[in-house]
Amino acid sequence: MFKKNKDILHIALPAMGENFLQMLMGMVDSYLVAHLGLIAISGVSVANNIITIYQAIFIALGAAISSVISKSMGHKDQSKLAYHVTEALKITVLISVFLGALSIFAGREMIGLLGTDRDVAEAGGLYLSLVGGSIVLLGLMTSLGALIRATHNPRLPLYVSFLSNALNILFSSTAIFIFDMGIAGVAWGTILSRLVGLLILWSQLKLPMTAPTWKFDKDLLTIALPAAGERLMMRAGDVVIIALVVSFGTEVVAGNAIGEVLTQFNYIPAFGVAIATVMQVARALGEENWKRVDDLSKRSFWLSLFLMLPLTFVIYAFGTLLSNLYTSNPVAVEASVLVTLFSLLGIPMTTGTVIYTAVWQGLGNARLPFYATSFGMWCIRIGTGYLMGIVLGWGLPGIWAGTLLDNGFRWLFLRYRYQRYMSLKG
């Protein structure tokens, strides 16, 4: 399995490590905030769902950057490479400035619109204004990491993420336990650690660049906008899901947040393989090697599934023990374990959705995953989640059953369209 997929793993393993460390940063923040009480962890969890939307936009932009850069390398076109590098950084900064301003001036209001209690909105608003207000750090780290990974050093972003996480633990712990800075201390620890990581990545960007212009890169935007829209639909829908969960009470909100912190590690292999899939498929497309495209899509799916299943099972098996690291509240622990169970049940559907989305992005068609996600999230996940969770009174299990139905639909739809596309090329 591993020897056969050496070409994918060469890129995927460092990306998995980087994803793991990025998620670990959020886990550490949640763990430290948990010491401040359920109101604090509920507020920060809701704020993190909004920040996750920002992060998803940058991840989508990073995927577009990887696709365009890899295709340019397949064509061996240095002038286009320099142009794409400059445009990637310019677009990242512009998006970051907008999202940062939104967080600073409307952060508390956005959290309040989700129906949270006043204290929860206050706590989450403080965290969002600081971490969201400095989101340019995460945006540039993501884009620089994509550029460096796609061109000359797939391991460097991993090393930088490791350092950033170590610094985050040091800074945040010091702020919480020594200087008693509360939520603000955790936020500043995250900000400072990302700043260090950004400076290191910038110093190692050994790529040609051109003078920026007022025009925008059409090749990059053709992939980036639908990809960002797809992630935006996904994460915005998640915020609506959280608003549904809020109706079940603060304890369930906290438990659901803890469960999502734990289960995010389950998806690391698929996300890592997806990054490699986008790059490899785009390069094969540049070389017009359709047989390799089809081979990559199949191997990526089975490799992801093989890597995810044991990890997901372990997280579920130790769900109660891990949840108790965050809280001893029985309702919250029960909700957290429930999330780990549904994550395990949904692994095949999640794997298919992530990998076939990556395949289509590598092929330069990010619109199809956007359409699938928009319909799946807003019609299936939210619609059936509301019906089963709220109307039928199934509670949190009803919400997560809707998630399984959504992922199953998107997997089958994207796979079916891919098979039709490849039959025309064959």
Side-chain angles (χ1 to χ4, degrees), residues 316 332-343 394-398 400:
Y316 169 67
V333 170
E334 181 182 0
S336 176
V337 174
L338 180 72
V339 173
T340 65
L341 172 61
F342 273 92
S343 177
W394 294 4
L396 194 60
W400 280 95

Side-chain angles (χ1 to χ4, degrees), residues 273-275 277-279 281 353-363 369:
V273 173
I275 290 173
T277 302
V278 171
M279 293 168 57
V281 168
T353 298
V354 172
I355 295 304
Y356 280 98
T357 295
V359 170
W360 279 111
Q361 289 174 347
L363 290 171

Side-chain angles (χ1 to χ4, degrees), residues 143-370:
S143 294
L144 289 171
L147 289 169
I148 292 171
R149 188 186 302 110
T151 53
H152 64 278
N153 193 342
R155 293 184 177 85
L156 180 61
L158 168 63
Y159 302 149
V160 173
S161 290
F162 181 82
L163 175 62
S164 294
N165 273 268
L167 292 175
N168 180 52
I169 294 172
L170 175 63
F171 294 155
S172 297
S173 298
T174 301
I176 284 276
F177 299 115
I178 296 179
F179 294 106
D180 195 26
M181 294 176 64
I183 292 175
V186 175
W188 278 110
T190 300
I191 292 169
L192 294 176
S193 61
R194 284 176 176 167
L195 176 60
V196 173
L198 171 60
L199 293 175
I200 295 174
L201 288 173
W202 179 258
S203 69
Q204 296 300 311
L205 184 66
K206 301 174 182 179
L207 292 172
M209 297 181 66
T210 60
T213 66
W214 291 107
K215 296 181 179 180
F216 292 99
D217 184 351
K218 291 183 179 179
D219 291 338
L220 182 59
L221 291 180
T222 298
I223 302 175
L225 290 179
E230 187 264 338
R231 290 292 87 194
L232 183 61
M233 288 294 101
M234 187 70 185
R235 295 310 173 192
D238 284 341
V239 173
V240 175
I241 292 293
I242 290 297
L244 297 179
V245 175
V246 165
S247 67
F248 304 140
T250 300
E251 293 172 328
V252 175
V253 173
N256 185 75
I258 293 169
E260 289 189 330
V261 168
L262 296 176
T263 57
Q264 64 183 336
F265 292 97
N266 298 341
Y267 313 121
I268 289 174
F271 291 147
V273 173
I275 290 173
T277 302
V278 171
M279 293 168 57
Q280 296 276 16
V281 168
R283 187 167 296 188
L285 178 65
E287 298 168 353
E288 298 186 358
N289 189 341
W290 296 106
K291 183 178 179 180
R292 177 162 172 77
V293 169
D294 196 40
D295 177 61
L296 283 166
S297 65
K298 294 174 181 176
R299 288 193 290 123
S300 295
F301 174 80
W302 289 110
L303 177 62
S304 297
L305 190 62
F306 178 80
L307 293 172
M308 288 176 71
L309 275 175
L311 177 61
T312 307
F313 181 78
V314 169
I315 295 293
Y316 169 67
F318 291 93
T320 301
L321 179 63
L322 294 171
S323 299
N324 276 299
L325 294 175
Y326 291 87
T327 180
S328 58
N329 184 285
V331 175
V333 170
E334 181 182 0
S336 176
V337 174
L338 180 72
V339 173
T340 65
L341 172 61
F342 273 92
S343 177
L344 175 61
L345 295 175
I347 282 301
M349 291 83 86
T350 304
T351 302
T353 298
V354 172
I355 295 304
Y356 280 98
T357 295
V359 170
W360 279 111
Q361 289 174 347
L363 290 171
N365 184 351
R367 288 173 294 179
L368 189 63
F370 168 69

Side-chain angles (χ1 to χ4, degrees), residues 83-98:
Y83 174 69
H84 291 319
V85 169
T86 304
E87 288 297 297
L89 296 178
K90 181 181 76 177
I91 292 172
T92 301
V93 171
L94 292 175
I95 293 174
S96 299
V97 170
F98 172 75

Side-chain angles (χ1 to χ4, degrees), residues 372-384:
T373 296
S374 298
F375 178 81
M377 169 58 78
W378 292 90
C379 295
I380 298 179
R381 183 178 301 198
I382 294 176
T384 60

